[in-house]
Amino acid sequence: LPQIGDVPIEVIQSTHDHYIPAPAAQLLFGPDTPVRRFRGIESADHNFSDALPAMYEELRRGLEWVLHADGPPESCAIK
């Protein structure tokens, strides 16, 4: 993630993802900052099969946050 600099990013992760559990994913992602945040959603699997409404609600909130985060202007390019 260092390559993307101050581009706002949110990770939405299932708490019981069978690829990587949420606590391990959060450690890899690092702490929340003004332009990065991690959100765990209580769910039984990677696909949020029992928590789609919660995942979609967090996705809505996350997109709203990204649009208003104190990051680079819309025209920025990832190098």
Side-chain angles (χ1 to χ4, degrees):
L1 292 175
Q3 297 89 339
I4 65 171
D6 289 335
V7 175
I9 185 169
E10 177 176 286
V11 170
I12 302 171
Q13 178 84 21
S14 167
T15 54
H16 298 284
D17 190 309
H18 58 275
Y19 293 106
I20 183 167
Q26 188 164 18
L27 282 175
L28 289 171
F29 185 69
D32 287 355
T33 72
V35 292
R36 290 175 41 177
R37 67 185 200 177
F38 183 94
R39 297 294 183 256
I41 302 290
E42 184 63 40
S43 183
D45 57 29
H46 177 77
N47 296 320
F48 300 92
S49 62
D50 61 338
L52 284 174
M55 189 273 295
Y56 285 129
E57 176 59 23
E58 184 54 45
L59 179 59
R60 184 195 63 73
R61 278 190 234 138
L63 289 171
E64 189 69 25
W65 172 78
V66 164
L67 291 172
H68 296 97
D70 289 332
E74 289 181 35
S75 62
C76 73
I78 298 174
K79 298 177 181 178

